[in-house]
Amino acid sequence: MNCKKEAVELMHKYLDGDLTKAEEAGLIQHLETCEDCQKHFHELKRTITWIQSTGQITAPSNFTQNVMAKLPKEKKRVSYMR
Amino acid sequence: MEFMIKEKIKQVKKGDQAAFEDVVAFYQNKIYQHCYRMLGNVHEAEDIAQEAFVRAYVNIHSYDDKRKFSTWLYRIATNLTIDRIRKRKPDYYLDAEIKGADGLDMYSQLETDSPLPEEEVESLELKSYIHHEISELPPKYRTIIILRYLEDFSLKEISDILDIPLGTVKTRIHRGREALRKKLRHV
């Protein structure tokens, strides 16, 4: 298996849940024998874990009120107009 | 929740502005966070996130209720952040190397953003480093990495939000992951 193209491509397909059974078997077999690809695969998975670990951020207080204050003036309700 | 939002949107479409308050309250953290991650700056994030909700309100009649509201809202917010990024540096590209600076690019010349108080102190340094690396990705990769891994959208949903083919989303997420892997592998 060509590491640079084929194996790395399969790793990404794996990460997107797009691998067929046959491709998965091929990738596993390759990873068992190729240390560089093992490392590459590990780094990719670790990268994703790290991205996901950056934590949640909350909006500033009064965010909703500030948005409401910026909205154009309310039109008369349809129900009153009828 | 999706049902509650649908009902609120119906009321907004009938002219009930107050109903929009619940919609904003429900999505404020998500949209603010998305803008912050795209822009890497709290002031711009607040500004653009507010603008996204105002645009959503003003254009509410163009929202098709058969589609997911969140997808539509994220599309508005994403487009606004990308516009803002484009307007920010009209004269040069951030990732262009500076002549004679020995491989330093414009990123290294910019001040890093101050860390957020909400972040925990223990891993603050690593988290802000990772965040910084994400914010250095070209916007087309950054958007997809953020939507996929920080906001948990599927690739199909991302293709809907950005209105680009699924194949393009896949190519970009591959490149984005590889770019980040290279930046983070030595940490």
Side-chain angles (χ1 to χ4, degrees):
Chain A
M1 192 178 286
N2 179 325
C3 299
K4 276 276 175 284
K5 283 197 174 163
E6 221 178 320
V8 172
E9 186 62 29
L10 289 178
M11 291 177 206
H12 285 283
K13 283 182 84 173
Y14 167 85
L15 294 172
D16 294 333
D18 286 342
L19 275 192
T20 64
K21 283 278 169 214
E23 286 172 328
E24 190 174 350
L27 178 63
I28 291 169
Q29 197 178 21
H30 178 74
L31 288 176
E32 279 169 359
T33 56
C34 179
E35 254 182 61
D36 283 353
C37 280
Q38 264 177 41
K39 191 161 169 276
H40 193 117
F41 193 47
H42 174 72
E43 285 170 0
L44 276 174
K45 289 200 288 187
R46 195 177 64 153
T47 299
I48 293 167
T49 309
W50 278 2
I51 301 169
Q52 289 170 329
S53 76
T54 53
Q56 301 290 308
I57 304 162
T58 50
S61 53
N62 297 327
F63 183 91
T64 299
Q65 289 92 316
N66 292 339
V67 170
M68 294 309 287
K70 281 188 172 179
L71 296 185
K73 285 238 158 59
E74 189 169 10
K75 288 175 198 151
K76 283 213 162 116
R77 282 189 178 226
V78 175
S79 51
Y80 296 155
M81 285 155 58
R82 275 178 187 160
Chain B
M1 260 320 152
E2 196 68 24
F3 179 74
M4 181 279 267
I5 294 298
K6 271 197 186 331
E7 288 304 304
K8 293 290 174 189
I9 302 292
K10 270 186 204 163
Q11 291 169 11
V12 176
K13 281 191 171 179
K14 284 179 188 161
D16 180 1
Q17 194 173 74
F20 194 64
E21 189 163 347
D22 295 327
V23 178
V24 181
F26 183 70
Y27 285 109
Q28 60 174 349
N29 289 336
K30 289 179 181 200
I31 293 297
Y32 173 78
Q33 176 162 271
H34 181 64
C35 293
Y36 175 72
R37 284 175 167 147
M38 287 295 292
L39 296 162
N41 172 301
V42 288
H43 303 293
E44 282 187 315
E46 184 168 6
D47 188 25
I48 295 294
Q50 286 187 7
E51 180 64 22
F53 283 109
V54 172
R55 294 264 180 119
Y57 178 77
V58 171
N59 296 299
I60 197 73
H61 292 287
S62 71
Y63 163 65
D64 171 5
D65 357 338
K66 286 183 217 79
R67 308 191 65 172
K68 271 179 93 175
F69 181 73
S70 60
T71 306
W72 187 72
L73 186 59
Y74 268 91
R75 182 186 294 189
I76 295 173
T78 304
N79 288 342
L80 285 171
T81 59
I82 290 173
D83 280 351
R84 173 61 65 99
I85 292 165
R86 284 197 189 123
K87 281 178 191 154
R88 240 190 225 160
K89 306 287 171 196
D91 300 330
Y92 51 86
Y93 291 103
L94 276 177
D95 51 3
E97 279 192 15
I98 302 164
K99 278 188 184 147
D102 198 25
L104 286 176
D105 58 24
M106 286 307 293
Y107 290 122
S108 57
Q109 305 286 306
L110 299 174
E111 283 180 53
T112 52
D113 297 300
S114 48
L116 293 172
E118 293 94 320
E119 291 188 281
E120 288 168 39
V121 184
E122 45 183 357
S123 54
L124 181 87
E125 214 172 310
L126 179 61
K127 280 183 180 176
S128 44
Y129 179 74
I130 294 165
H131 184 262
H132 179 72
E133 293 301 329
I134 295 171
S135 74
E136 282 193 353
L137 287 175
K140 63 179 179 179
Y141 303 139
R142 190 193 319 170
T143 313
I144 292 176
I145 291 287
I146 290 171
L147 288 170
R148 179 71 191 96
Y149 293 115
L150 294 165
E151 283 139 24
D152 219 21
F153 284 102
S154 70
L155 298 183
K156 179 70 188 72
E157 286 171 319
I158 295 172
S159 134
D160 288 341
I161 291 171
L162 302 177
D163 202 19
I164 55 175
L166 186 57
T168 309
V169 174
K170 287 183 182 176
T171 308
R172 290 186 186 172
I173 201 168
H174 291 196
R175 294 192 182 149
R177 277 192 298 243
E178 281 300 330
L180 280 176
R181 181 188 70 86
K182 282 173 193 152
K183 286 159 178 270
L184 299 174
R185 63 191 295 195
H186 299 300
V187 176

